[in-house]
């Protein structure tokens, strides 16, 4: 058995290895569909905050950049309408871009990609702290951390998804301080928990559940341990006040809201676009998706081993909760709690309640979703926690059953398998599907809904065109905003491209990633003309990412 000190050294080396990988590959990824709006959002608020200051030169640069964004893409949403979008990531990145005078689109989007990767890396450290305090088996702790960091879709998105990965990361950090409060209730842990809960809430409004669920747990403690009701009220008000102060300090949206009109807080978050998504071979309005949408997407885009471990972990927690419920003793005094006997069980109960609350919310309340389960990537924390719990119990059984180190062999195979997936799909880990979905079934789902393939396709087109001085006219046989994809190219290559949208007869090359706003069978504008030849089908493991056509000579 490795000593604690040596294990900590190994984990430190693993984090260094992970950071080195990230620093090597962060420039490989395309630009996501929401990144341009997020950059615009940052400059909108940076311009707002500096409008009345005396930093004239800085204000001029910010205003110029903001106007350039508006002129370059007139289809971007108005940040003043979407003022409920948080600024915790976008504004600092706009500030850095301005300060260092980054004028190349490739440079400032790569900066965003590097930054979100570093934020996710920080959350991985907090996740490690969580599972280190929960589990005793070093191999299980390592694999739990490995799952968190290298699950293909999350790993890929950690280099470009500035919204969903940010929320997952901050949520993970906030939960680590919540668990600290379970272990020791002091002002330091409470303040840090409220701070990160406020950051999570401004990133996605669902983060507001964090202080609420802590109050619920305080209430359960009150019921089980006969605590003072006045103490319960005091602790609850303390959480609400500190949390709200942190929200006020950094979230412009709440400045316009009345704290006593709670309903008005949430109405803007139920805005949804009038578009359809392809799911299991059929098109659905995003507000009226089948209830199976979220569970199916999670299952087909998560490594099968994680789904198995998730089921085992959930079963174990449900079994414990069931036995706790049927053995509640109303007459017993000074109990730890009716639903748990130890702090570890209390953590498990929190994860169970949180996971199934969000899961049920998405399934039963017709939540508008887009791009697979991207908006619910924060469930990754709960999935990996349960998977680690399942793995811990399976490894405990195997270590008792077999004398040789079978768990080490299994661990090696798992690490090898995940590494192979990430290398095979690079730089499209975000578009991973597991082997459960056959190649002919993949076409029934929107593969490249983040529109990451645009940059890769444009690089291929530029490389293919032999006349290096000629302007290249590029058509788009999909709904994806094609011109945005050029921003990961060099300035020289960008100037060679002319985008003709769906006027396909004017194009030299046509791109499609098979993402449509509605059923393409009834929308002829995406139909590729007959005088074009297919010159590239980009596939990974029979998953078709995009296609490029070239006009016949």
């Amino acid at each position: 058995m490795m000593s604690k000190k040596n294990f900590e050294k190994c984990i430190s080396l693993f984090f260094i290895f992970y950071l080195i990988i990230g620093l090597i590959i962060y420039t490989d990824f395309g630009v996501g569909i929401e990144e341009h709006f997020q950059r615009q959002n940052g400059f909108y608020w940076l311009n707002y905050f500096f409008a009345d200051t005396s930093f004239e030169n800085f204000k001029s640069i910010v205003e110029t950049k903001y106007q350039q964004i508006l002129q370059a893409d007139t289809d971007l949403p108005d940040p003043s309408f979407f003022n409920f979008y948080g600024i915790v990531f976008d504004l600092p990145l706009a500030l850095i871009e301005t300060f260092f005078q980054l004028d190349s689109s490739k440079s400032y989007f790569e900066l965003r990609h590097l930054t979100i990767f570093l934020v996710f890396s920080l959350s991985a450290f907090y996740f490690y702290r969580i599972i280190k305090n929960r589990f005793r088996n070093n191999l299980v702790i390592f694999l739990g951390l490995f799952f968190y960091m290298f699950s293909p879709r999350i790993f890929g998105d950690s280099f470009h998804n500035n919204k969903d990965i940010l929320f997952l990361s901050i949520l993970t950090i906030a939960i680590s301080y919540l668990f600290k409060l379970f272990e020791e209730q002091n002002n330091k842990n409470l303040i840090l928990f409220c701070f990160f809960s406020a950051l999570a809430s401004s990133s996605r409004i669902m983060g507001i559940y964090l202080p609420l669920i802590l109050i619920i747990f305080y209430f359960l403690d009150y019921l089980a341990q006969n605590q003072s009701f006045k103490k319960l009220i005091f602790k609850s008000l303390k959480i609400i006040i500190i949390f709200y102060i942190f929200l006020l300090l950094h979230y412009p949206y709440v400045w316009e809201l009345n704290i006593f009109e709670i309903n008005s807080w949430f109405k803007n978050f139920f805005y949804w676009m009038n578009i359809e998504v392809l799911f299991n071979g059929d098109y659905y309005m995003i507000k009226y998706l089948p209830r199976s949408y979220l569970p199916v997407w999670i299952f087909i885009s998560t490594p099968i081993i994680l789904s198995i471990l998730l089921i085992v972990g959930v079963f174990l927690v449900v079994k414990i909760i069931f036995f706790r419920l049927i053995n509640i003793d109303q007459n017993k005094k000074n109990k730890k709690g009716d639903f748990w006997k130890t702090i570890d069980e209390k953590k498990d109960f929190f994860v169970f309640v949180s996971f199934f609350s969000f899961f049920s919310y998405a399934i039963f309340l017709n939540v508008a979703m887009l791009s697979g389960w991207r908006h619910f990537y924060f469930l990754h924390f709960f999935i990996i926690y349960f998977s680690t719990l399942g793995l811990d119990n399976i490894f405990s059984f195997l270590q008792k059953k077999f004398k040789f180190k079978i768990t080490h062999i299994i661990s090696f195979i798992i690490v090898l398998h995940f590494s192979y997936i990430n290398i095979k799909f690079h730089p499209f880990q975000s578009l991973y599907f597991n082997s459960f979905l056959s190649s002919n079934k993949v076409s029934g789902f929107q593969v490249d809904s983040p529109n990451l393939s645009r940059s890769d396709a444009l690089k291929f087109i530029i490389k293919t065109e032999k006349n290096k001085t000629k302007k290249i006219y590029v058509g788009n046989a999909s709904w994806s905003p094609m011109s945005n994809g050029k921003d990961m190219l060099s300035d020289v290559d960008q100037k060679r491209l002319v985008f003709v949208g769906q006027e396909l007869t004017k194009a030299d090359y046509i791109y499609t990633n098979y993402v449509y706003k509605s059923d393409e069978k009834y929308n002829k504008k995406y139909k590729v003309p007959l005088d074009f030849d297919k010159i590239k089908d980009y596939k990974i493991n029979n998953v078709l990412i995009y296609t490029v056509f070239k006009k016949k000579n």
Side-chain angles (χ1 to χ4, degrees):
M1 183 79 175
M2 184 184 294
S3 68
K4 181 179 179 181
K5 187 175 181 181
N6 287 335
F7 178 67
E8 293 284 349
K9 288 181 180 178
C10 289
I11 291 295
S12 298
L13 289 173
F14 178 65
F15 269 104
I16 292 171
F17 171 72
Y18 180 74
L19 289 171
I20 290 172
I21 290 176
L23 291 172
I24 292 172
I25 70 173
Y26 80 93
T27 59
D28 296 349
F29 297 85
V31 62
I33 192 170
E34 290 191 354
E35 289 192 72
H36 290 81
F37 169 72
Q38 289 159 356
R39 178 170 173 260
Q40 177 194 25
N41 187 54
F43 276 100
Y44 173 84
W45 287 107
L46 190 62
N47 192 38
Y48 173 86
F49 285 122
F50 277 87
D52 296 324
T53 67
S54 58
F55 302 102
E56 298 302 328
N57 186 49
F58 188 86
K59 283 164 54 178
S60 175
I61 296 172
V62 172
E63 175 63 25
T64 300
K65 278 184 169 288
Y66 182 61
Q67 292 303 322
Q68 287 174 347
I69 294 170
L70 294 179
Q71 293 167 13
D73 195 338
T74 56
D75 293 329
L76 288 176
D78 182 0
S80 63
F81 176 78
F82 289 93
N83 64 341
F84 50 88
Y85 270 63
I87 62 173
V88 68
F89 184 88
D90 297 338
L91 189 143
L93 266 293
L95 184 62
I96 294 170
E97 181 185 327
T98 305
F99 183 80
F100 288 101
Q101 299 183 28
L102 300 179
D103 295 322
S104 164
S105 62
K106 190 173 187 295
S107 297
Y108 52 67
F109 278 111
E110 285 178 352
L111 170 66
R112 298 178 72 88
H113 291 183
L114 176 60
T115 305
I116 192 59
F117 167 72
L118 294 175
V119 170
F120 180 71
S121 301
L122 177 63
S123 79
F125 171 73
Y126 277 90
F127 185 78
Y128 165 68
R129 283 182 24 171
I130 289 171
I131 57 175
K132 183 184 70 170
N133 291 334
R134 174 61 184 85
F135 303 103
R136 307 295 173 261
N137 187 322
N138 288 342
L139 200 55
V140 169
I141 294 169
F142 168 76
L143 283 176
L145 176 62
F146 184 84
F147 290 152
Y148 182 85
M149 298 164 87
F150 284 102
S151 185
R153 285 201 169 234
I154 302 301
F155 178 71
D157 271 51
S158 69
F159 290 95
H160 60 82
N161 189 332
N162 309 150
K163 190 74 176 173
D164 306 295
I165 295 299
L166 178 70
F167 180 55
L168 164 64
S169 300
I170 300 175
L171 177 78
T172 300
I173 298 171
I175 291 174
S176 75
Y177 286 109
L178 176 68
F179 285 177
K180 284 285 186 184
L181 281 169
F182 286 171
E183 297 164 6
E184 182 182 3
Q185 294 187 25
N186 58 41
N187 288 331
K188 176 188 173 183
N189 290 334
L190 180 63
I191 290 171
L192 287 169
F193 167 73
C194 289
F195 173 71
F196 285 105
S197 295
L199 294 184
S201 300
S202 67
S203 302
R204 282 212 180 277
I205 194 60
M206 286 177 284
I208 205 168
Y209 102 100
L210 285 163
L212 298 179
I213 200 166
L214 178 58
I215 292 171
I216 291 172
F217 269 75
Y218 280 163
F219 180 70
L220 292 175
D221 284 333
Y222 158 76
L223 293 177
Q225 300 177 27
N226 296 319
Q227 295 179 352
S228 164
F229 184 71
K230 287 183 178 179
K231 187 177 181 181
L232 169 66
I233 297 299
F234 174 75
K235 290 197 297 185
S236 300
L237 288 174
K238 191 175 180 181
I239 293 168
I240 292 170
I241 291 169
I242 297 173
F243 169 76
Y244 186 64
I245 288 172
F246 281 128
L247 268 186
L248 282 173
L249 287 175
H250 84 283
Y251 192 19
Y253 177 64
V254 301
W255 301 345
E256 302 174 4
L257 300 174
N258 186 331
I259 191 173
F260 300 107
E261 296 177 359
I262 300 298
N263 289 337
S264 65
W265 283 46
F266 303 101
K267 62 180 181 180
N268 290 336
F269 295 94
F270 292 97
Y271 169 85
W272 57 281
M273 295 180 289
N274 186 30
I275 60 175
E276 300 177 18
V277 294
L278 178 65
F279 174 69
N280 203 17
D282 295 308
Y283 279 85
Y284 300 88
M285 296 297 296
I286 62 173
K287 182 62 177 175
Y288 303 103
L289 295 167
R291 300 195 190 281
S292 60
Y293 185 85
L294 181 62
V296 166
W297 259 106
I298 291 176
F299 178 69
I300 64 177
S301 61
T302 299
I304 294 173
I305 182 64
L306 285 183
S307 296
I308 295 170
L309 293 175
L310 169 66
I311 292 169
V312 174
V314 169
F315 171 78
L316 292 167
V317 174
V318 170
K319 185 175 75 170
I320 290 173
I321 293 173
F322 175 75
F323 282 113
R324 294 287 175 265
L325 283 172
I326 64 174
N327 290 299
I328 289 177
D329 185 353
Q330 296 290 346
N331 298 316
K332 191 174 180 182
K333 304 290 185 181
N334 301 319
K335 296 175 289 183
K336 280 280 185 183
D338 287 333
F339 298 99
W340 57 82
K341 282 188 177 179
T342 66
I343 295 298
D344 285 346
E345 286 188 11
K346 188 175 184 179
K347 294 174 182 177
D348 296 347
F349 183 69
F350 162 81
V351 173
F352 174 81
V353 170
S354 300
F355 179 71
F356 281 97
S357 295
F358 285 122
F359 206 69
S360 301
Y361 163 72
I363 292 173
F364 297 112
L365 295 182
N366 286 328
V367 177
M369 283 181 276
L370 192 63
S371 304
W373 62 294
R374 178 171 61 84
H375 297 129
F376 281 81
Y377 273 173
F378 66 92
L379 294 180
H380 178 69
F381 170 88
F382 306 106
I383 290 170
I384 301 304
Y385 185 96
F386 277 128
S387 299
T388 309
L389 182 63
L391 184 72
D392 185 53
N393 280 264
I394 291 172
F395 273 17
S396 295
F397 170 79
L398 293 175
Q399 286 168 347
K400 291 175 184 176
K401 193 78 173 175
F402 300 95
K403 292 183 179 180
F404 66 96
K405 295 184 178 180
I406 189 173
T407 54
H408 289 72
I409 297 172
I410 294 172
S411 301
F412 177 75
I413 293 171
I414 290 173
V415 170
L416 206 62
H417 177 61
F418 273 65
S419 301
Y420 171 78
I421 291 172
N422 280 296
I423 293 170
K424 181 76 174 177
F425 273 82
H426 184 74
F428 295 111
Q429 293 93 334
S430 299
L431 312 182
Y432 166 78
F433 288 92
N434 63 39
S435 56
F436 181 84
L437 202 65
S438 61
S439 56
N440 62 317
K441 290 285 188 181
V442 173
S443 60
F445 296 84
Q446 286 186 347
V447 174
D448 186 26
S449 51
N451 296 284
L452 295 172
S453 68
R454 297 170 298 168
S455 300
D456 194 77
L458 290 173
K459 290 176 184 177
F460 170 77
I461 289 170
I462 287 172
K463 187 176 180 181
T464 301
E465 180 55 51
K466 293 183 169 44
N467 187 343
K468 302 304 179 185
T469 60
K470 174 191 170 187
K471 291 282 187 179
I472 305 172
Y473 290 79
V474 181
N476 182 18
S478 71
W479 181 57
S480 306
M482 190 63 186
S483 61
N484 281 349
K486 73 180 186 302
D487 287 328
M488 296 307 292
L489 280 63
S490 68
D491 292 341
V492 173
D493 287 339
Q494 288 186 41
K495 290 175 182 177
R496 294 183 62 195
L497 298 171
V498 179
F499 297 97
V500 298
Q502 276 77 50
E503 296 183 70
L504 302 180
T505 56
K506 297 180 180 179
D508 300 315
Y509 296 84
I510 296 174
Y511 156 90
T512 180
N513 62 350
Y514 304 96
V515 174
Y516 308 108
K517 188 176 181 180
S518 58
D519 195 332
E520 75 280 8
K521 290 184 292 187
Y522 309 107
N523 198 336
K524 301 301 181 184
K525 69 178 182 177
Y526 298 133
K527 185 174 177 60
V528 177
L530 295 176
D531 58 337
F532 279 79
D533 285 328
K534 184 187 296 184
I535 61 171
K536 182 172 186 178
D537 266 345
Y538 190 97
K539 292 183 178 180
I540 305 176
N541 276 13
N542 293 318
V543 176
L544 180 58
I545 309 294
Y546 69 85
T547 300
V548 175
F549 301 85
K550 183 178 181 181
K551 182 172 279 189
K552 297 176 183 178
N553 293 327

